[in-house]
Amino acid sequence: MSQQPQGGSSRVPSSHELRLLLQATNELMDHTLSFVRSMALGCAVKLGVADAIHRGGGHVFLHDLIAALPNPVTASKLPHLGRLMRVLTTSGVFAQADDGAYCLTPVSSLLVSDGGKRKNQTQLVRLHLSPLVVSPFTNMAEWFTSDDGEDTAFKMTHGADFWGVCERHAEFSKLFNEALASDSQFIMDAAIHGAGRQVFEGIKSLVDVGGGTGEAAKAVARAFPHIKCIVLDRPQVIDGIPAGGPVEFVGGDFMDFIPQANALLLKFVLHDWNDKDCVRILRRCREAIPPRQAGGKVIIIEIVVGSSSEAIYHATQQLYDLHMSMVTPGMERDEKEWCKLFMESGFTKYKINPLLGLRSIIEVFP
Protein backbone atom coordinates (compact mmCIF):
# COMPACT_ATOMS: atom_id res chain seq x y z
CA MET A 1 0.00 0.00 0.00
CA SER A 2 1.62 3.26 -1.11
CA GLN A 3 1.94 6.25 1.20
CA GLN A 4 0.08 9.43 0.38
CA PRO A 5 2.07 12.69 0.52
CA GLN A 6 1.34 14.66 3.68
CA GLY A 7 -0.21 18.09 3.48
CA GLY A 8 -2.09 17.39 0.28
CA SER A 9 -0.93 16.40 -3.19
CA SER A 10 2.24 18.07 -4.49
CA ARG A 11 2.41 19.64 -7.94
CA VAL A 12 3.71 17.31 -10.62
CA PRO A 13 6.71 18.94 -12.35
CA SER A 14 6.48 19.49 -16.07
CA SER A 15 8.63 17.50 -18.48
CA HIS A 16 10.78 20.61 -19.01
CA GLU A 17 11.29 21.02 -15.27
CA LEU A 18 12.21 17.35 -14.96
CA ARG A 19 14.83 17.69 -17.71
CA LEU A 20 16.34 20.70 -15.92
CA LEU A 21 16.34 18.81 -12.62
CA LEU A 22 18.07 15.80 -14.14
CA GLN A 23 20.60 18.06 -15.86
CA ALA A 24 21.31 19.86 -12.56
CA THR A 25 21.75 16.49 -10.80
CA ASN A 26 24.25 15.44 -13.45
CA GLU A 27 26.18 18.70 -13.14
CA LEU A 28 26.25 18.36 -9.36
CA MET A 29 27.65 14.82 -9.59
CA ASP A 30 30.19 15.94 -12.19
CA HIS A 31 31.44 18.64 -9.81
CA THR A 32 31.41 16.20 -6.90
CA LEU A 33 33.39 13.53 -8.74
CA SER A 34 35.76 15.84 -10.63
CA PHE A 35 38.52 14.88 -8.19
CA VAL A 36 38.43 11.41 -9.79
CA ARG A 37 39.71 12.91 -13.05
CA SER A 38 42.64 14.48 -11.21
CA MET A 39 43.44 11.27 -9.36
CA ALA A 40 43.16 9.27 -12.59
CA LEU A 41 45.66 11.64 -14.20
CA GLY A 42 48.00 11.23 -11.24
CA CYS A 43 47.68 7.46 -11.50
CA ALA A 44 48.54 7.54 -15.20
CA VAL A 45 51.63 9.62 -14.45
CA LYS A 46 52.81 7.20 -11.77
CA LEU A 47 52.19 4.20 -14.01
CA GLY A 48 54.02 5.84 -16.92
CA VAL A 49 51.14 5.44 -19.38
CA ALA A 50 52.23 8.29 -21.68
CA ASP A 51 55.75 6.91 -22.00
CA ALA A 52 54.40 3.43 -22.68
CA ILE A 53 52.21 4.71 -25.52
CA HIS A 54 55.14 6.73 -26.87
CA ARG A 55 57.41 3.68 -26.86
CA GLY A 56 54.69 1.75 -28.66
CA GLY A 57 54.77 4.18 -31.55
CA GLY A 58 51.90 6.30 -30.28
CA HIS A 59 49.27 3.62 -31.04
CA VAL A 60 48.87 1.00 -28.31
CA PHE A 61 46.07 -1.45 -27.49
CA LEU A 62 45.08 -2.05 -23.87
CA HIS A 63 46.58 -5.55 -23.59
CA ASP A 64 49.89 -4.25 -24.99
CA LEU A 65 49.79 -1.25 -22.70
CA ILE A 66 49.90 -3.44 -19.59
CA ALA A 67 53.10 -5.14 -20.76
CA ALA A 68 54.69 -1.83 -21.82
CA LEU A 69 54.27 -0.08 -18.47
CA PRO A 70 57.50 0.39 -16.45
CA ASN A 71 55.84 -1.41 -13.55
CA PRO A 72 53.27 -3.64 -15.24
CA VAL A 73 49.95 -4.10 -13.48
CA THR A 74 48.67 -7.62 -12.92
CA ALA A 75 46.45 -9.23 -15.54
CA SER A 76 43.47 -9.25 -13.19
CA LYS A 77 43.55 -5.43 -13.17
CA LEU A 78 43.11 -5.17 -16.95
CA PRO A 79 39.40 -4.21 -16.77
CA HIS A 80 40.18 -1.51 -14.21
CA LEU A 81 42.97 -0.10 -16.36
CA GLY A 82 40.42 0.06 -19.18
CA ARG A 83 38.11 2.09 -16.95
CA LEU A 84 40.98 4.42 -16.05
CA MET A 85 41.81 4.96 -19.73
CA ARG A 86 38.15 5.52 -20.59
CA VAL A 87 37.97 8.41 -18.10
CA LEU A 88 41.22 9.88 -19.39
CA THR A 89 40.19 9.64 -23.04
CA THR A 90 36.81 11.22 -22.30
CA SER A 91 38.58 14.10 -20.56
CA GLY A 92 40.99 14.55 -23.49
CA VAL A 93 44.23 13.49 -21.80
CA PHE A 94 44.53 10.55 -24.22
CA ALA A 95 42.71 9.70 -27.43
CA GLN A 96 41.33 6.43 -28.77
CA ALA A 97 41.56 5.50 -32.45
CA ASP A 98 38.75 3.86 -34.38
CA ASP A 99 40.40 0.47 -33.89
CA GLY A 100 40.41 0.94 -30.11
CA ALA A 101 44.11 1.70 -29.69
CA TYR A 102 45.17 4.51 -27.36
CA CYS A 103 47.07 7.51 -28.68
CA LEU A 104 48.74 10.60 -27.28
CA THR A 105 47.18 14.05 -27.39
CA PRO A 106 48.88 17.45 -26.98
CA VAL A 107 48.06 17.15 -23.25
CA SER A 108 49.54 13.69 -22.70
CA SER A 109 52.54 14.55 -24.89
CA LEU A 110 53.57 16.84 -22.02
CA LEU A 111 53.86 13.71 -19.85
CA VAL A 112 56.34 11.87 -22.10
CA SER A 113 59.80 11.85 -20.52
CA ASP A 114 61.41 9.31 -22.87
CA GLY A 115 63.85 8.32 -20.14
CA GLY A 116 64.61 11.92 -19.26
CA LYS A 117 65.45 12.88 -22.84
CA ARG A 118 62.37 15.06 -23.34
CA LYS A 119 61.16 18.10 -21.44
CA ASN A 120 57.99 17.13 -19.63
CA GLN A 121 55.68 18.19 -16.83
CA THR A 122 55.20 14.92 -14.98
CA GLN A 123 56.84 16.25 -11.83
CA LEU A 124 54.56 19.29 -11.80
CA VAL A 125 51.53 17.00 -11.93
CA ARG A 126 53.02 14.82 -9.19
CA LEU A 127 53.59 17.90 -7.01
CA HIS A 128 50.05 19.25 -7.35
CA LEU A 129 48.55 15.81 -6.67
CA SER A 130 50.89 14.74 -3.87
CA PRO A 131 49.12 13.86 -0.60
CA LEU A 132 50.89 16.70 1.22
CA VAL A 133 49.40 19.23 -1.20
CA VAL A 134 45.98 17.64 -1.64
CA SER A 135 45.17 16.92 2.02
CA PRO A 136 44.72 20.59 3.06
CA PHE A 137 41.85 20.88 0.58
CA THR A 138 39.90 18.26 2.53
CA ASN A 139 40.12 20.65 5.51
CA MET A 140 39.02 23.88 3.83
CA ALA A 141 35.71 24.16 5.67
CA GLU A 142 37.43 23.57 9.02
CA TRP A 143 40.04 26.21 8.16
CA PHE A 144 37.40 28.79 7.23
CA THR A 145 35.64 28.31 10.58
CA SER A 146 38.78 27.95 12.69
CA ASP A 147 40.04 30.74 14.93
CA ASP A 148 43.45 29.17 15.59
CA GLY A 149 45.25 31.94 13.71
CA GLU A 150 46.76 29.72 11.01
CA ASP A 151 47.06 31.70 7.77
CA THR A 152 46.71 28.69 5.45
CA ALA A 153 44.82 25.41 5.36
CA PHE A 154 48.18 23.80 4.54
CA LYS A 155 49.70 24.96 7.84
CA MET A 156 46.61 23.97 9.82
CA THR A 157 46.80 20.49 8.31
CA HIS A 158 50.53 19.86 8.62
CA GLY A 159 51.54 22.03 11.58
CA ALA A 160 54.10 23.88 9.44
CA ASP A 161 54.05 26.17 6.43
CA PHE A 162 55.02 25.00 2.95
CA TRP A 163 58.72 25.76 3.41
CA GLY A 164 58.76 24.09 6.81
CA VAL A 165 57.28 20.93 5.30
CA CYS A 166 59.95 21.04 2.58
CA GLU A 167 62.61 21.12 5.30
CA ARG A 168 61.04 18.15 7.09
CA HIS A 169 60.44 16.03 3.97
CA ALA A 170 63.50 15.77 1.75
CA GLU A 171 61.67 13.84 -0.98
CA PHE A 172 58.90 16.42 -1.13
CA SER A 173 61.46 19.23 -1.33
CA LYS A 174 63.20 17.38 -4.17
CA LEU A 175 59.88 16.95 -5.97
CA PHE A 176 59.10 20.65 -5.54
CA ASN A 177 62.46 21.74 -7.00
CA GLU A 178 62.18 19.29 -9.89
CA ALA A 179 58.62 20.42 -10.66
CA LEU A 180 59.62 24.09 -10.75
CA ALA A 181 62.68 23.30 -12.86
CA SER A 182 60.63 21.41 -15.46
CA ASP A 183 57.98 24.13 -15.55
CA SER A 184 60.71 26.76 -15.98
CA GLN A 185 62.06 24.93 -19.02
CA PHE A 186 58.69 25.06 -20.72
CA ILE A 187 57.85 28.64 -19.83
CA MET A 188 61.27 30.07 -20.61
CA ASP A 189 61.35 28.34 -23.99
CA ALA A 190 58.00 29.93 -24.79
CA ALA A 191 59.10 33.31 -23.43
CA ILE A 192 62.50 33.46 -25.12
CA HIS A 193 61.73 31.85 -28.45
CA GLY A 194 58.29 33.39 -28.82
CA ALA A 195 56.94 36.92 -28.70
CA GLY A 196 58.52 37.48 -25.28
CA ARG A 197 62.07 37.51 -26.63
CA GLN A 198 62.12 41.30 -26.90
CA VAL A 199 61.69 41.55 -23.11
CA PHE A 200 65.27 40.25 -22.64
CA GLU A 201 66.92 42.17 -25.47
CA GLY A 202 69.29 44.93 -24.39
CA ILE A 203 69.88 43.51 -20.91
CA LYS A 204 73.51 43.27 -19.76
CA SER A 205 73.07 41.49 -16.42
CA LEU A 206 70.20 39.62 -14.81
CA VAL A 207 69.50 38.13 -11.37
CA ASP A 208 66.94 35.32 -11.21
CA VAL A 209 65.45 36.00 -7.76
CA GLY A 210 64.39 32.77 -6.07
CA GLY A 211 65.57 30.97 -9.19
CA GLY A 212 65.97 27.52 -7.66
CA THR A 213 68.26 25.25 -9.63
CA GLY A 214 68.72 27.90 -12.32
CA GLU A 215 66.77 26.48 -15.27
CA ALA A 216 65.32 29.88 -16.18
CA ALA A 217 68.67 31.66 -15.92
CA LYS A 218 70.34 28.93 -17.97
CA ALA A 219 67.74 29.38 -20.70
CA VAL A 220 68.44 33.13 -20.76
CA ALA A 221 72.20 32.54 -20.84
CA ARG A 222 71.89 30.12 -23.77
CA ALA A 223 69.74 32.49 -25.78
CA PHE A 224 71.67 35.65 -24.84
CA PRO A 225 75.33 34.69 -24.13
CA HIS A 226 76.27 38.32 -23.48
CA ILE A 227 73.96 38.56 -20.44
CA LYS A 228 75.66 37.87 -17.10
CA CYS A 229 73.20 35.64 -15.27
CA ILE A 230 73.06 35.11 -11.49
CA VAL A 231 70.67 32.93 -9.49
CA LEU A 232 69.78 33.96 -5.94
CA ASP A 233 68.14 31.39 -3.70
CA ARG A 234 68.40 29.85 -0.25
CA PRO A 235 71.69 28.05 0.46
CA GLN A 236 69.89 24.72 1.02
CA VAL A 237 68.45 25.00 -2.51
CA ILE A 238 71.67 25.76 -4.37
CA ASP A 239 74.08 23.70 -2.26
CA GLY A 240 75.48 20.89 -4.34
CA ILE A 241 74.97 22.62 -7.70
CA PRO A 242 78.29 22.35 -9.57
CA ALA A 243 80.24 25.59 -9.95
CA GLY A 244 81.10 26.94 -13.37
CA GLY A 245 78.95 27.16 -16.44
CA PRO A 246 77.10 30.19 -17.75
CA VAL A 247 75.25 30.92 -14.49
CA GLU A 248 76.58 32.06 -11.11
CA PHE A 249 74.76 30.92 -7.95
CA VAL A 250 74.51 33.11 -4.86
CA GLY A 251 73.05 31.89 -1.57
CA GLY A 252 70.88 34.30 0.37
CA ASP A 253 67.42 35.46 1.40
CA PHE A 254 65.81 37.78 -1.14
CA MET A 255 63.81 39.36 1.66
CA ASP A 256 67.06 40.90 2.90
CA PHE A 257 69.41 41.20 -0.07
CA ILE A 258 69.38 41.06 -3.87
CA PRO A 259 72.58 41.47 -5.92
CA GLN A 260 72.82 44.49 -8.20
CA ALA A 261 71.89 43.89 -11.85
CA ASN A 262 70.56 45.60 -14.93
CA ALA A 263 67.36 43.55 -14.64
CA LEU A 264 65.77 41.11 -12.22
CA LEU A 265 63.61 38.08 -12.97
CA LEU A 266 60.91 36.89 -10.55
CA LYS A 267 59.26 33.78 -11.94
CA PHE A 268 56.46 32.22 -9.87
CA VAL A 269 57.78 33.90 -6.73
CA LEU A 270 55.35 36.63 -5.71
CA HIS A 271 52.26 34.42 -5.80
CA ASP A 272 53.71 32.61 -2.76
CA TRP A 273 53.55 35.74 -0.59
CA ASN A 274 50.97 38.08 0.89
CA ASP A 275 50.81 41.73 -0.17
CA LYS A 276 52.99 43.00 2.69
CA ASP A 277 55.81 40.58 1.90
CA CYS A 278 55.47 41.23 -1.84
CA VAL A 279 55.99 44.94 -1.26
CA ARG A 280 59.06 44.15 0.83
CA ILE A 281 60.47 41.94 -1.94
CA LEU A 282 59.71 44.48 -4.65
CA ARG A 283 61.37 47.28 -2.67
CA ARG A 284 64.50 45.13 -2.45
CA CYS A 285 64.24 44.73 -6.21
CA ARG A 286 63.90 48.47 -6.66
CA GLU A 287 67.12 48.99 -4.69
CA ALA A 288 69.03 46.47 -6.84
CA ILE A 289 68.37 47.93 -10.30
CA PRO A 290 69.49 51.18 -11.97
CA PRO A 291 67.07 53.93 -13.08
CA ARG A 292 64.77 53.26 -15.99
CA GLN A 293 66.87 55.52 -18.23
CA ALA A 294 69.80 53.16 -17.64
CA GLY A 295 67.73 50.10 -18.56
CA GLY A 296 66.64 49.06 -15.09
CA LYS A 297 63.55 46.87 -14.84
CA VAL A 298 62.00 43.87 -13.12
CA ILE A 299 60.63 41.03 -15.24
CA ILE A 300 57.82 39.11 -13.53
CA ILE A 301 56.34 35.89 -14.88
CA GLU A 302 53.07 35.20 -13.08
CA ILE A 303 49.36 34.75 -13.60
CA VAL A 304 47.37 37.93 -14.13
CA VAL A 305 43.81 36.83 -13.41
CA GLY A 306 41.51 37.90 -16.22
CA SER A 307 44.35 38.64 -18.64
CA SER A 308 42.99 36.24 -21.25
CA SER A 309 39.66 36.51 -23.02
CA GLU A 310 39.53 32.70 -23.37
CA ALA A 311 37.27 31.12 -20.75
CA ILE A 312 39.47 28.02 -20.33
CA TYR A 313 42.41 30.14 -19.19
CA HIS A 314 40.30 32.29 -16.89
CA ALA A 315 38.78 29.25 -15.16
CA THR A 316 42.21 27.69 -14.58
CA GLN A 317 43.57 30.99 -13.27
CA GLN A 318 40.79 31.02 -10.68
CA LEU A 319 41.62 27.45 -9.66
CA TYR A 320 45.26 28.41 -9.25
CA ASP A 321 44.23 31.38 -7.11
CA LEU A 322 42.26 29.22 -4.68
CA HIS A 323 45.06 26.63 -4.72
CA MET A 324 47.73 29.19 -3.79
CA SER A 325 45.58 30.77 -1.06
CA MET A 326 45.13 27.39 0.64
CA VAL A 327 48.76 26.24 0.32
CA THR A 328 50.63 29.54 0.81
CA PRO A 329 49.87 32.99 2.26
CA GLY A 330 49.89 34.25 -1.33
CA MET A 331 47.42 34.41 -4.18
CA GLU A 332 47.07 34.95 -7.90
CA ARG A 333 46.36 38.62 -8.65
CA ASP A 334 44.44 40.59 -11.23
CA GLU A 335 45.85 43.72 -12.88
CA LYS A 336 44.42 46.08 -10.26
CA GLU A 337 46.04 44.09 -7.45
CA TRP A 338 49.39 43.97 -9.28
CA CYS A 339 49.27 47.72 -9.92
CA LYS A 340 48.70 48.39 -6.23
CA LEU A 341 51.79 46.35 -5.30
CA PHE A 342 53.97 48.11 -7.88
CA MET A 343 52.95 51.60 -6.83
CA GLU A 344 53.39 50.86 -3.12
CA SER A 345 56.88 49.51 -3.86
CA GLY A 346 58.07 52.69 -5.57
CA PHE A 347 57.72 51.69 -9.22
CA THR A 348 56.18 54.11 -11.70
CA LYS A 349 55.17 52.07 -14.73
CA TYR A 350 54.40 48.51 -15.77
CA LYS A 351 53.48 46.62 -18.92
CA ILE A 352 51.57 43.33 -18.98
CA ASN A 353 52.28 40.99 -21.89
CA PRO A 354 49.75 38.08 -21.87
CA LEU A 355 51.98 35.87 -24.01
CA LEU A 356 52.23 32.63 -22.04
CA GLY A 357 48.75 31.17 -21.90
CA LEU A 358 47.82 31.09 -18.21
CA ARG A 359 50.71 33.38 -17.33
CA SER A 360 51.90 36.78 -18.40
CA ILE A 361 55.24 38.56 -18.63
CA ILE A 362 55.07 41.77 -16.63
CA GLU A 363 57.75 44.42 -17.11
CA VAL A 364 57.99 46.79 -14.14
CA PHE A 365 59.99 50.02 -14.33
CA PRO A 366 61.35 52.31 -11.59
Side-chain angles (χ1 to χ4, degrees):
M1 185 174 181
S2 62
Q3 289 184 323
Q4 296 295 320
Q6 296 181 355
S9 60
S10 59
R11 185 179 69 86
V12 177
S14 67
S15 58
H16 175 67
E17 289 171 331
L18 281 173
R19 284 196 302 271
L20 292 178
L21 180 61
L22 291 172
Q23 180 181 341
T25 302
N26 181 72
E27 290 181 10
L28 179 61
M29 288 301 98
D30 186 70
H31 286 300
T32 302
L33 297 175
S34 61
F35 77 95
V36 176
R37 282 193 288 268
S38 297
M39 295 298 109
L41 173 61
C43 176
V45 167
K46 290 181 179 179
L47 291 177
V49 173
D51 270 318
I53 294 175
H54 173 70
R55 287 193 300 271
H59 189 269
V60 176
F61 292 97
L62 184 62
H63 59 274
D64 297 321
L65 179 60
I66 283 192
L69 293 175
N71 297 298
V73 299
T74 58
S76 64
K77 306 293 175 56
L78 181 64
H80 301 288
L81 184 63
R83 292 183 175 91
L84 177 79
M85 294 302 295
R86 181 168 60 187
V87 167
L88 292 173
T89 53
T90 301
S91 63
V93 175
F94 298 101
Q96 194 165 20
D98 291 340
D99 60 3
Y102 294 105
C103 311
L104 297 174
T105 66
V107 174
S108 48
S109 293
L110 295 174
L111 305 177
V112 176
S113 67
D114 197 15
K117 300 175 185 176
R118 287 177 50 159
K119 296 175 182 177
N120 64 88
Q121 296 208 314
T122 57
Q123 294 301 78
L124 188 66
V125 174
R126 284 176 177 265
L127 175 67
H128 284 315
L129 297 181
S130 67
L132 286 170
V133 173
V134 171
S135 55
F137 289 89
T138 66
N139 295 325
M140 281 198 294
E142 290 76 10
W143 178 75
F144 275 112
T145 57
S146 171
D147 59 359
D148 60 7
E150 300 295 1
D151 57 355
T152 65
F154 187 95
K155 189 173 181 179
M156 187 190 78
T157 301
H158 299 301
D161 64 13
F162 188 87
W163 311 116
V165 169
C166 282
E167 291 177 1
R168 291 192 324 210
H169 298 270
E171 284 301 312
F172 180 71
S173 179
K174 181 174 180 287
L175 174 62
F176 173 71
N177 289 326
E178 289 175 349
L180 263 61
S182 64
D183 200 30
S184 292
Q185 292 174 347
F186 273 93
I187 288 299
M188 295 308 295
D189 277 353
I192 291 172
H193 301 296
R197 183 180 179 86
Q198 49 83 25
V199 172
F200 298 91
E201 292 175 345
I203 294 175
K204 298 178 181 178
S205 60
L206 179 137
V207 174
D208 187 359
V209 180
T213 57
E215 293 303 322
K218 292 173 186 175
V220 173
R222 284 192 298 267
F224 303 94
H226 67 279
I227 298 179
K228 178 183 179 182
C229 293
I230 299 171
V231 172
L232 172 70
D233 214 315
R234 296 168 296 157
Q236 57 266 43
V237 173
I238 64 173
D239 282 350
I241 297 177
V247 175
E248 177 185 349
F249 289 86
V250 175
D253 186 343
F254 54 67
M255 287 286 188
D256 300 321
F257 165 76
I258 296 175
Q260 298 282 317
N262 188 222
L264 306 179
L265 174 64
L266 290 95
K267 177 185 55 61
F268 319 148
V269 171
L270 296 176
H271 71 170
D272 291 332
W273 303 94
N274 60 34
D275 287 352
K276 182 179 178 181
D277 285 330
C278 281
V279 169
R280 180 179 174 185
I281 295 167
L282 287 168
R283 285 176 177 169
R284 287 281 182 259
C285 292
R286 177 66 185 84
E287 295 168 356
I289 59 174
R292 183 182 179 188
Q293 295 79 359
K297 67 177 177 180
V298 178
I299 303 167
I300 298 172
I301 299 180
E302 290 275 12
I303 285 175
V304 179
V305 177
S307 60
S308 174
S309 59
E310 297 186 47
I312 187 172
Y313 287 134
H314 198 191
T316 307
Q317 288 172 342
Q318 292 172 345
L319 289 175
Y320 256 109
D321 179 40
L322 181 59
H323 178 274
M324 294 306 299
S325 67
M326 292 296 111
V327 175
T328 74
M331 67 193 80
E332 306 296 351
R333 297 173 170 89
D334 60 25
E335 181 175 355
K336 183 178 179 180
E337 291 167 324
W338 280 117
C339 179
K340 182 174 181 290
L341 291 182
F342 300 150
M343 297 305 109
E344 288 183 6
S345 305
F347 291 89
T348 61
K349 187 177 180 180
Y350 67 91
K351 179 182 178 182
I352 296 175
N353 306 286
L355 305 172
L356 302 175
L358 283 176
R359 292 112 166 198
S360 295
I361 302 176
I362 312 172
E363 297 174 88
V364 190
F365 306 95

